[in-house]
């Protein structure tokens, strides 16, 4: 990180404000150096994703309250927030950028394309030093393109394996008293448990959702647990590595081939459908993120959570996922930075994460969650503990969106009976390398 101080930045802002004053005084006068008073009021345009699944829990009230609170303490800056569904928000921002009407701030799923085109401010051009230093290291690193951070994490989640305690007890995998949790180390133990569940008539012993909704996430979880991942230690695509091929062969031969993944073939099973089946008591185990906590509890399912077992029984990194904030070069750098500093204050961070059972992306927000005594926070702490060492998607690659789409379309074919993991992973990897030359 480039060494600098807050004091070193302030003269630059003052100088830019004075320059603005000198160039406009003949026409309008200049009430203040900052250029934020009276006729020079700035309106920041923000586009954000909706994390609610129905009108009652929409993200709109959060942004409305955040904007109103910010405006009270920052006269001269207005904040206009438009919230769109996740299915629309990325396309909406792309449409605005193409039309030359990019928002000042976008809270969406990917930033690398815009950074590569030179359209974004870097984090150190926007944030106070203490704000920038507050990001958890893996998330800050994932927000970088060529070692410069353009993507600022908004919220995060990690993954754990959920299991139905009643089904496991009925199958003799755990005691019926519920006092001894299931803690498998290896895939061999996972497979053995799945076979016992199948013998007890459980419809889906282990759900393997490789449908379009989130195939890239389910795939990455298994690849990491198999000692691989989407990229190598040098950050080059390694999708067709030996370990990754072995992972997909295990899924094809042992889980799918063994009839352990239920009546819906993995390529057609979406994440939410798998969650719904788990909440109906039809699934023995599956990989899940924090939103499953509330869904399963609402349906009365007794569940346990365990770290993902691995191919060799040795601990490997888990998967982390982050959504991103980016700021477009619209000439409102100072005002945008002030709003982002405000947005990342611990109270504002945890207000959002606690509402949606997500994880804070800052050290201060994590500490606030650790100190919380709420029931929801207690379970989220299990996910929080995995975040500092999590591996994220290679979102800093401008080709990642295309590679992710390639995974969604094709990875399910690799695990179906007769599938060819080496050929499918090889084709995905080759396309990624061509799109992202080193």
């Amino acid at each position: 990180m480039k060494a600098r101080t807050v004091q070193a930045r302030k003269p630059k802002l003052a100088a830019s404000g004075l320059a603005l004053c000198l160039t406009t005084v003949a026409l309008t006068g200049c009430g203040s150096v900052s250029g934020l008073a009276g006729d020079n009021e700035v309106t920041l345009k923000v586009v954000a994703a909706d994390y609610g699944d129905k009108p009652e829990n929409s993200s709109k009230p959060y942004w409305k309250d955040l904007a109103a609170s910010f405006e009270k303490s920052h006269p001269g800056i207005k904040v206009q927030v438009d919230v769109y569904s996740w299915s629309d928000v990325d396309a909406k921002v792309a449409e605005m950028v193409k039309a030359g009407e990019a928002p000042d701030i976008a809270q969406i799923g990917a930033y690398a394309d815009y950074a590569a085109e030179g359209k974004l401010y870097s984090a150190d051009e926007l944030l106070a030093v203490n704000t920038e230093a507050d990001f958890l290291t893996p998330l800050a690193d994932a927000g970088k393109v060529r070692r410069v951070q353009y993507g600022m994490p908004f919220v995060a989640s990690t993954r754990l394996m959920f299991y139905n305690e009643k089904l496991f007890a009925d199958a003799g995998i755990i005691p019926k008293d519920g006092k001894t949790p299931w803690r498998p180390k290896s895939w061999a133990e996972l497979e053995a448990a799945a076979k016992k569940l199948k013998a007890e008539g459980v419809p889906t012993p282990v759900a393997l959702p490789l449908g379009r909704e989130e195939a890239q996430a389910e795939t990455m979880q298994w690849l990491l647990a198999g000692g691989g991942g989407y990229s190598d230690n040098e950050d080059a695509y390694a999708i067709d590595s030996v370990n990754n091929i072995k992972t997909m062969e295990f899924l094809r031969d042992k889980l799918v081939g063994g009839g352990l993944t239920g009546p819906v073939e993995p390529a057609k099973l979406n994440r939410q459908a798998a969650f719904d089946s788990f909440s109906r008591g039809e699934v023995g185990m599956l990989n899940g993120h924090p939103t499953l906590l509330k869904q399963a509890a609402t349906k009365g399912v007794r569940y346990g959570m365990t770290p993902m077992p691995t191919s060799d029984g040795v601990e490997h990194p888990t998967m982390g996922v982050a959504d991103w904030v980016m700021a477009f070069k619209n000439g409102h750098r100072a005002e945008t930075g002030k709003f982002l500093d405000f947005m990342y204050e611990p109270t504002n961070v945890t207000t959002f994460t606690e509402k949606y059972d997500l994880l804070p992306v800052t050290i201060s927000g994590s500490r606030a969650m650790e100190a919380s005594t709420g029931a929801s926070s207690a379970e989220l702490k299990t996910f929080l503990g995995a975040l500092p060492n999590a591996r994220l998607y290679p979102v800093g690659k401008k080709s990642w969106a295309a590679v992710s789409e390639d995974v969604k379309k094709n990875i399910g074919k690799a695990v179906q009976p007769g599938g060819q993991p080496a050929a499918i992973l090889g084709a995905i990897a080759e396309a990624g390398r061509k799109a992202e030359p080193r």
Side-chain angles (χ1 to χ4, degrees):
M1 183 183 297
K2 183 170 64 178
R4 61 200 185 284
T5 65
V6 175
Q7 288 75 15
R9 293 182 178 188
K10 288 182 177 178
K12 294 181 181 179
L13 298 182
S16 64
L18 179 58
L20 176 62
C21 174
L22 293 174
T23 58
T24 58
V25 66
L27 296 177
T28 63
C30 188
S32 69
V33 169
S34 67
L36 298 178
D39 293 338
N40 294 319
E41 182 176 88
V42 168
T43 297
L44 295 178
K45 296 182 180 180
V46 181
V47 172
D50 197 341
Y51 286 74
D53 57 4
K54 52 183 178 292
E56 291 76 15
N57 68 350
S58 171
S59 302
K60 292 179 181 179
Y62 167 82
W63 287 104
K64 181 179 179 181
D65 292 346
L66 185 72
S69 181
F70 174 79
E71 290 172 356
K72 283 182 180 178
S73 57
H74 295 80
I77 308 177
K78 296 295 182 182
V79 181
Q80 173 191 319
V81 186
D82 293 314
V83 179
Y84 298 91
S85 71
W86 267 113
S87 60
D88 297 328
V89 68
D90 289 286
K92 182 64 178 178
V93 171
E95 177 185 310
M96 294 171 72
V97 172
K98 185 177 181 180
E101 300 175 350
D104 293 288
I105 297 170
Q107 184 270 297
I108 51 179
Y111 65 86
D113 282 357
Y114 300 123
E117 294 169 1
K119 297 182 183 296
L120 303 180
Y121 290 116
S122 62
D124 66 359
E125 291 178 304
L126 296 163
L127 304 176
V129 174
N130 60 331
T131 304
E132 188 179 357
D134 199 27
F135 291 128
L136 292 167
T137 299
L139 303 179
D141 288 345
K144 294 178 180 179
V145 175
R146 293 184 175 86
R147 301 186 180 183
V148 177
Q149 185 179 357
Y150 295 95
M152 292 160 280
F154 180 63
V155 291
S157 67
T158 54
R159 302 292 197 263
L160 293 171
M161 179 158 276
F162 285 67
Y163 61 94
N164 184 308
E165 290 185 341
K166 181 181 185 303
L167 297 180
F168 268 60
D170 290 345
I173 302 167
I174 61 173
K176 290 186 178 293
D177 62 14
K179 296 180 179 180
T180 305
W182 186 54
R183 289 292 180 267
K185 297 293 185 183
S186 69
W187 288 350
E189 294 172 80
L190 182 152
E191 182 187 359
K195 288 180 177 178
K196 289 182 179 180
L197 292 167
K198 182 181 180 181
E200 285 293 312
V202 175
T204 303
V206 52
L208 186 62
L210 294 177
R212 282 191 51 83
E213 182 183 350
E214 211 179 20
Q216 81 284 1
E218 184 71 17
T219 299
M220 185 172 175
Q221 289 168 259
W222 287 99
L223 297 185
L224 289 173
Y230 286 125
S231 55
D232 60 22
N233 291 333
E234 301 299 323
D235 202 32
Y237 281 125
I239 299 167
D240 55 350
S241 70
V242 171
N243 282 344
N244 287 349
I245 292 170
K246 288 181 178 179
T247 292
M248 303 313 291
E249 288 174 344
F250 168 80
L251 297 177
R252 179 195 64 188
D253 299 338
K254 299 297 185 179
L255 298 190
V256 179
L260 303 176
T261 54
V264 181
E265 64 179 277
K268 296 180 180 179
L269 181 63
N270 281 325
R271 170 75 65 195
Q272 190 56 55
F275 281 12
D276 292 343
S277 293
F278 184 83
S279 299
R280 293 193 297 267
E282 300 167 354
V283 173
M285 59 185 125
L286 81 170
N287 291 314
H289 50 66
T291 59
L292 184 56
L293 295 169
K294 192 171 293 182
Q295 182 177 343
T298 300
K299 297 294 184 179
V301 173
R302 290 190 297 109
Y303 58 84
M305 297 181 293
T306 185
M308 176 78 160
T310 65
S311 58
D312 53 8
V314 175
E315 185 177 348
H316 294 301
T318 188
M319 187 186 78
V321 176
D323 298 325
W324 301 96
V325 170
M326 62 218 66
F328 287 87
K329 292 180 177 179
N330 288 349
H332 298 150
R333 180 173 68 86
E335 297 86 358
T336 297
K338 290 178 181 179
F339 180 72
L340 292 173
D341 283 336
F342 181 80
M343 187 184 80
Y344 282 112
E345 290 180 5
T347 300
N348 295 328
V349 169
T350 55
T351 296
F352 192 90
T353 56
E354 289 177 0
K355 180 175 181 178
Y356 294 105
D357 288 335
L358 292 165
L359 303 180
V361 297
T362 59
I363 297 169
S364 58
S366 298
R367 287 173 178 166
M369 178 174 281
E370 287 284 4
S372 174
T373 58
S376 177
S377 294
E379 290 193 308
L380 284 174
K381 289 173 188 176
T382 307
F383 291 90
L384 186 64
L387 190 56
N389 297 314
R391 291 272 296 275
L392 281 78
Y393 299 132
V395 289
K397 296 180 180 294
K398 64 181 181 180
S399 61
W400 168 243
V403 170
S404 176
E405 181 65 20
D406 206 354
V407 171
K408 290 180 181 182
K409 287 181 178 178
N410 296 301
I411 202 66
K413 302 172 188 175
V415 302
Q416 67 188 20
Q420 300 296 321
I424 291 170
L425 293 177
I428 296 172
E430 183 62 21
R433 293 182 189 120
K434 286 182 178 178
E436 195 87 27
R438 299 199 64 188

